[in-house]
Amino acid sequence: GSPGRKGILGLLTQFKEGQYYLEDQKAAVPIVIDKDAVWSTGIFCEGCIVLAEGEYNSADGVFVVYLMGSPPPEARTTSLSFLSGLDLFSPPKETKSFSSKYPTLQIQESSMEASVPADAEIIVLSDVHLDRPQVLHKLRLFAESFEGEAPSMVVLMGNFISAQVSSAESARIMQSGFEKLAELLADFPLICQRTHFVVVPGPTDGDVSQLLPRPPLPAVFVQPLLSKLAHLHITSNPCRIRFYGLDITVFRDDLINRMRRHWIQTPVDADDIDCIQHHLVRTVLDQSHLSPLPIHARPVYWNHDHALHLFPLPNTVILADRYEAYDTTYE
């Protein structure tokens, strides 16, 4: 091509060990990352879409990268304006697929216009280990704290068992745990009648495979809750919730550690957990995908990869991980 610096948008791949390429639907070009290259905020792994600036070295047949960044995200309002009312957050009703069998959970409002009551409240709990008595005790204290009121929604995410055990033992322990949870909640009839409970499986719950998206827990596990709760939703992981017009995506995975194991460049502030969390949020939203990792690192059920998409960007993304709670607004 013509000389001078150029920008290339492509998929970061590694066809052979130690040699990275930028690939699109028609071709792939080998790249060499300059030792003084500038990296934008984010975590860069094989399988990410990247925007690279540099020069093509015709003698060696490689593209020398001086600047590596993520593609700029598209604002939610911009995406919605181009979609002209088409709702991509909920699957088509006539589609027989994984996502339509377990559809988007809608609370009160079906429109995409947000109008949230002032007293609406969502409680999110992750790693709810139902086999640990101290966790059940904390859940009782949590329910008692509402004193005659009830939250709009409680999201319970796995893993629901604290230790790795055999599949048969896991099923027995999980059933016992949900029985104890049902007995506990029965003491709070107002919460049982008014609150929407959402149960999201963790990385090791139910299905023994590591494929994403993960299916809902088998109904037999949560059977005790069905007779106690008026609004119980057993969802996949990730799951989508439309709450009074707000689009919320919930995902439970140990994503930071997975990304750290596969990044190709260590951020300069990698030891600062607050900065790593910001890098993760930036990466997930820029990639518009909940698992921007190579397929060998995080297998995906390809027919349902769309369940991991973040387009258009939801109003809120809840990433449940093994780290201290944090929140950030990305604009």
Side-chain angles (χ1 to χ4, degrees):
S2 58
R5 292 179 72 131
K6 299 178 176 64
I8 298 180
L9 180 69
L11 179 70
L12 187 61
T13 59
Q14 187 175 196
F15 294 152
K16 57 184 180 180
E17 188 174 358
Q19 177 62 68
Y20 290 101
Y21 293 76
L22 286 182
E23 178 187 9
D24 62 14
Q25 293 179 319
K26 296 182 179 179
V29 58
I31 64 171
V32 172
I33 302 174
D34 188 79
K35 62 182 181 64
D36 296 321
V38 177
W39 298 76
S40 71
T41 302
I43 300 174
F44 295 88
C45 302
E46 182 186 350
C48 286
I49 302 294
V50 299
L51 184 59
E53 181 179 312
E55 293 181 330
Y56 182 71
N57 187 328
S58 57
D60 298 329
V62 299
F63 186 78
V64 182
V65 177
Y66 301 127
L67 175 62
M68 184 76 81
S70 296
E74 184 173 82
R76 174 179 170 83
T77 52
T78 302
S79 301
L80 292 178
S81 66
F82 281 107
L83 290 173
S84 300
L86 179 64
D87 185 7
L88 297 183
F89 198 74
S90 299
K93 293 182 180 179
E94 68 275 9
T95 302
K96 301 299 182 183
S97 69
F98 182 91
S99 57
S100 61
K101 185 178 180 182
Y102 308 105
T104 302
L105 170 58
Q106 299 202 26
I107 305 298
Q108 299 299 328
E109 297 290 339
S110 60
S111 70
M112 289 184 286
E113 295 296 327
S115 179
V116 183
D119 60 347
E121 189 174 24
I122 299 178
I123 309 297
V124 180
L125 303 174
S126 182
D127 280 339
V128 183
H129 296 153
L130 297 177
D131 59 332
R132 300 177 64 184
Q134 57 267 46
V135 172
L136 292 170
H137 175 66
K138 292 290 186 181
L139 288 174
R140 177 172 290 277
L141 294 179
F142 158 76
E144 290 174 349
S145 68
F146 287 98
E147 297 181 347
E149 299 180 355
S152 304
M153 181 185 296
V154 175
V155 180
L156 300 175
M157 286 183 276
N159 298 315
F160 293 107
I161 299 178
S162 59
Q164 293 286 348
V165 295
S166 66
S167 297
E169 184 70 4
S170 172
R172 185 192 66 79
I173 295 174
M174 195 173 299
Q175 282 181 282
S176 174
F178 279 111
E179 286 175 0
K180 293 175 182 177
L181 178 61
E183 293 172 2
L184 183 158
L185 292 174
D187 294 337
F188 304 93
L190 187 63
I191 292 178
C192 290
Q193 289 299 315
R194 294 186 181 179
T195 301
H196 287 260
F197 281 84
V198 182
V199 178
V200 183
T204 63
D205 289 329
D207 185 13
V208 296
S209 76
Q210 291 299 307
L211 285 170
L212 288 177
R214 297 188 63 76
L217 291 176
V220 66
F221 288 178
V222 296
Q223 188 66 36
L225 292 177
L226 293 173
S227 60
K228 297 291 192 298
L229 303 179
H231 309 287
L232 177 63
H233 312 275
I234 312 302
T235 73
S236 60
N237 180 22
C239 75
R240 298 172 177 178
I241 300 169
R242 177 158 288 153
F243 184 75
Y244 291 98
L246 290 178
D247 289 345
I248 303 170
T249 295
V250 178
F251 186 41
R252 169 65 183 96
D253 197 29
D254 301 329
L255 193 54
I256 289 182
N257 282 337
R258 293 185 192 276
M259 298 291 284
R260 290 175 75 118
R261 286 197 296 266
H262 293 92
W263 60 29
I264 67 170
Q265 172 71 16
T266 305
V268 293
D269 47 12
D271 294 331
D272 187 333
I273 186 58
D274 291 333
C275 293
I276 286 297
Q277 291 165 347
H278 179 66
H279 284 295
L280 175 68
V281 171
R282 181 77 179 260
T283 301
V284 168
L285 298 184
D286 285 355
Q287 298 294 318
S288 293
H289 198 279
L290 288 168
S291 184
L293 287 162
I295 199 72
H296 61 80
R298 198 65 172 110
V300 173
Y301 188 12
W302 203 245
N303 287 343
H304 304 304
D305 179 69
H306 60 272
L308 303 172
H309 292 182
L310 295 174
F311 177 82
L313 290 177
N315 298 100
T316 301
V317 178
I318 299 174
L319 299 176
D321 211 321
R322 291 184 178 179
Y323 281 87
E324 292 294 327
Y326 65 95
D327 66 89
T328 182
T329 300
Y330 182 26
E331 298 178 353

